mmCIF file of all heavy atoms in Angstrom:
data_model
loop_
_atom_site.group_PDB
_atom_site.id
_atom_site.type_symbol
_atom_site.label_atom_id
_atom_site.label_comp_id
_atom_site.label_asym_id
_atom_site.label_seq_id
_atom_site.Cartn_x
_atom_site.Cartn_y
_atom_site.Cartn_z
ATOM 1 N N PRO A 431 8.061 19.342 10.699
ATOM 2 C CA PRO A 431 7.127 18.708 9.755
ATOM 3 C C PRO A 431 7.914 18.320 8.477
ATOM 4 O O PRO A 431 8.752 19.060 8.024
ATOM 5 C CB PRO A 431 6.095 19.777 9.461
ATOM 6 C CG PRO A 431 6.220 20.764 10.544
ATOM 7 C CD PRO A 431 7.652 20.669 11.056
ATOM 8 N N ALA A 432 7.539 17.165 7.943
ATOM 9 C CA ALA A 432 8.084 16.739 6.662
ATOM 10 C C ALA A 432 7.486 17.582 5.537
ATOM 11 O O ALA A 432 8.000 17.639 4.440
ATOM 12 C CB ALA A 432 7.871 15.273 6.423
ATOM 13 N N PHE A 433 6.373 18.209 5.822
ATOM 14 C CA PHE A 433 5.567 18.855 4.776
ATOM 15 C C PHE A 433 6.044 20.297 4.618
ATOM 16 O O PHE A 433 5.470 21.201 5.242
ATOM 17 C CB PHE A 433 4.105 18.763 5.125
ATOM 18 C CG PHE A 433 3.185 19.277 4.084
ATOM 19 C CD1 PHE A 433 2.809 18.434 3.018
ATOM 20 C CD2 PHE A 433 2.691 20.536 4.147
ATOM 21 C CE1 PHE A 433 1.998 18.921 2.050
ATOM 22 C CE2 PHE A 433 1.814 21.025 3.161
ATOM 23 C CZ PHE A 433 1.472 20.170 2.140
ATOM 24 N N ASP A 434 7.084 20.526 3.860
ATOM 25 C CA ASP A 434 7.462 21.930 3.589
ATOM 26 C C ASP A 434 7.999 22.011 2.194
ATOM 27 O O ASP A 434 9.105 22.474 1.943
ATOM 28 C CB ASP A 434 8.505 22.392 4.640
ATOM 29 C CG ASP A 434 9.735 21.598 4.672
ATOM 30 O OD1 ASP A 434 9.766 20.590 3.858
ATOM 31 O OD2 ASP A 434 10.658 21.864 5.346
ATOM 32 N N PHE A 435 7.132 21.622 1.239
ATOM 33 C CA PHE A 435 7.566 21.536 -0.132
ATOM 34 C C PHE A 435 8.053 22.840 -0.669
ATOM 35 O O PHE A 435 8.917 22.941 -1.451
ATOM 36 C CB PHE A 435 6.431 20.968 -1.024
ATOM 37 C CG PHE A 435 5.115 21.759 -0.975
ATOM 38 C CD1 PHE A 435 4.921 22.774 -1.844
ATOM 39 C CD2 PHE A 435 4.171 21.489 -0.011
ATOM 40 C CE1 PHE A 435 3.748 23.504 -1.796
ATOM 41 C CE2 PHE A 435 3.039 22.219 0.064
ATOM 42 C CZ PHE A 435 2.819 23.234 -0.826
ATOM 43 N N GLN A 436 7.400 23.951 -0.178
ATOM 44 C CA GLN A 436 7.770 25.210 -0.713
ATOM 45 C C GLN A 436 9.156 25.652 -0.260
ATOM 46 O O GLN A 436 9.994 26.072 -1.059
ATOM 47 C CB GLN A 436 6.751 26.322 -0.255
ATOM 48 C CG GLN A 436 5.506 26.220 -1.129
ATOM 49 C CD GLN A 436 4.771 27.534 -1.088
ATOM 50 O OE1 GLN A 436 4.677 28.152 -0.054
ATOM 51 N NE2 GLN A 436 4.208 27.875 -2.249
ATOM 52 N N ALA A 437 9.411 25.430 0.973
ATOM 53 C CA ALA A 437 10.720 25.748 1.538
ATOM 54 C C ALA A 437 11.812 24.951 0.754
ATOM 55 O O ALA A 437 12.809 25.505 0.360
ATOM 56 C CB ALA A 437 10.866 25.429 3.014
ATOM 57 N N PHE A 438 11.507 23.710 0.511
ATOM 58 C CA PHE A 438 12.491 22.914 -0.164
ATOM 59 C C PHE A 438 12.683 23.399 -1.626
ATOM 60 O O PHE A 438 13.805 23.494 -2.131
ATOM 61 C CB PHE A 438 12.161 21.408 -0.240
ATOM 62 C CG PHE A 438 13.231 20.641 -0.824
ATOM 63 C CD1 PHE A 438 14.435 20.426 -0.086
ATOM 64 C CD2 PHE A 438 13.210 20.217 -2.157
ATOM 65 C CE1 PHE A 438 15.494 19.764 -0.669
ATOM 66 C CE2 PHE A 438 14.270 19.589 -2.722
ATOM 67 C CZ PHE A 438 15.404 19.318 -1.969
ATOM 68 N N SER A 439 11.563 23.792 -2.274
ATOM 69 C CA SER A 439 11.693 24.250 -3.619
ATOM 70 C C SER A 439 12.537 25.521 -3.693
ATOM 71 O O SER A 439 13.267 25.769 -4.644
ATOM 72 C CB SER A 439 10.369 24.483 -4.253
ATOM 73 O OG SER A 439 9.658 23.285 -4.277
ATOM 74 N N VAL A 440 12.445 26.371 -2.646
ATOM 75 C CA VAL A 440 13.255 27.579 -2.606
ATOM 76 C C VAL A 440 14.700 27.205 -2.566
ATOM 77 O O VAL A 440 15.556 27.718 -3.271
ATOM 78 C CB VAL A 440 12.862 28.462 -1.476
ATOM 79 C CG1 VAL A 440 13.884 29.570 -1.267
ATOM 80 C CG2 VAL A 440 11.465 29.053 -1.627
ATOM 81 N N VAL A 441 15.029 26.198 -1.730
ATOM 82 C CA VAL A 441 16.406 25.737 -1.559
ATOM 83 C C VAL A 441 16.911 25.256 -2.908
ATOM 84 O O VAL A 441 17.952 25.600 -3.416
ATOM 85 C CB VAL A 441 16.483 24.640 -0.498
ATOM 86 C CG1 VAL A 441 17.887 23.964 -0.490
ATOM 87 C CG2 VAL A 441 16.220 25.221 0.895
ATOM 88 N N VAL A 442 16.027 24.483 -3.549
ATOM 89 C CA VAL A 442 16.429 23.891 -4.884
ATOM 90 C C VAL A 442 16.683 25.029 -5.880
ATOM 91 O O VAL A 442 17.704 25.024 -6.588
ATOM 92 C CB VAL A 442 15.326 22.948 -5.423
ATOM 93 C CG1 VAL A 442 15.505 22.655 -6.888
ATOM 94 C CG2 VAL A 442 15.287 21.660 -4.584
ATOM 95 N N ALA A 443 15.770 25.975 -5.841
ATOM 96 C CA ALA A 443 15.940 27.098 -6.843
ATOM 97 C C ALA A 443 17.241 27.857 -6.589
ATOM 98 O O ALA A 443 17.921 28.226 -7.519
ATOM 99 C CB ALA A 443 14.709 28.029 -6.703
ATOM 100 N N VAL A 444 17.492 28.087 -5.321
ATOM 101 C CA VAL A 444 18.680 28.826 -4.998
ATOM 102 C C VAL A 444 19.947 28.056 -5.457
ATOM 103 O O VAL A 444 20.850 28.564 -6.051
ATOM 104 C CB VAL A 444 18.766 29.147 -3.481
ATOM 105 C CG1 VAL A 444 20.148 29.654 -3.049
ATOM 106 C CG2 VAL A 444 17.704 30.146 -3.121
ATOM 107 N N LEU A 445 19.905 26.733 -5.163
ATOM 108 C CA LEU A 445 21.054 25.889 -5.529
ATOM 109 C C LEU A 445 21.230 25.892 -7.049
ATOM 110 O O LEU A 445 22.326 26.025 -7.547
ATOM 111 C CB LEU A 445 20.826 24.446 -5.074
ATOM 112 C CG LEU A 445 20.966 24.234 -3.567
ATOM 113 C CD1 LEU A 445 20.663 22.793 -3.221
ATOM 114 C CD2 LEU A 445 22.385 24.543 -3.137
ATOM 115 N N PHE A 446 20.117 25.808 -7.786
ATOM 116 C CA PHE A 446 20.259 25.814 -9.214
ATOM 117 C C PHE A 446 20.625 27.169 -9.818
ATOM 118 O O PHE A 446 21.311 27.247 -10.835
ATOM 119 C CB PHE A 446 19.045 25.152 -9.928
ATOM 120 C CG PHE A 446 19.089 23.688 -9.858
ATOM 121 C CD1 PHE A 446 18.250 22.966 -9.011
ATOM 122 C CD2 PHE A 446 20.006 23.018 -10.610
ATOM 123 C CE1 PHE A 446 18.335 21.604 -8.972
ATOM 124 C CE2 PHE A 446 20.109 21.619 -10.553
ATOM 125 C CZ PHE A 446 19.297 20.961 -9.698
ATOM 126 N N SER A 447 20.170 28.193 -9.110
ATOM 127 C CA SER A 447 20.562 29.536 -9.568
ATOM 128 C C SER A 447 22.074 29.644 -9.371
ATOM 129 O O SER A 447 22.807 30.142 -10.272
ATOM 130 C CB SER A 447 19.911 30.644 -8.641
ATOM 131 O OG SER A 447 18.532 30.459 -8.705
ATOM 132 N N MET A 448 22.554 29.110 -8.279
ATOM 133 C CA MET A 448 24.061 29.185 -8.056
ATOM 134 C C MET A 448 24.775 28.329 -9.094
ATOM 135 O O MET A 448 25.716 28.756 -9.634
ATOM 136 C CB MET A 448 24.361 28.653 -6.628
ATOM 137 C CG MET A 448 23.936 29.623 -5.569
ATOM 138 S SD MET A 448 23.922 28.821 -3.891
ATOM 139 C CE MET A 448 25.629 28.400 -3.796
ATOM 140 N N ALA A 449 24.184 27.116 -9.348
ATOM 141 C CA ALA A 449 24.821 26.252 -10.297
ATOM 142 C C ALA A 449 24.871 26.904 -11.663
ATOM 143 O O ALA A 449 25.798 26.882 -12.403
ATOM 144 C CB ALA A 449 24.059 24.906 -10.361
ATOM 145 N N GLY A 450 23.647 27.538 -11.993
ATOM 146 C CA GLY A 450 23.584 28.226 -13.279
ATOM 147 C C GLY A 450 24.575 29.351 -13.430
ATOM 148 O O GLY A 450 25.264 29.570 -14.402
#
Side-chain angles (χ1 to χ4, degrees):
F433 185 83
D434 59 356
F435 58 90
Q436 283 202 322
F438 185 75
S439 295
V440 169
V441 170
V442 166
V444 169
L445 287 176
F446 279 107
S447 305
M448 289 165 60

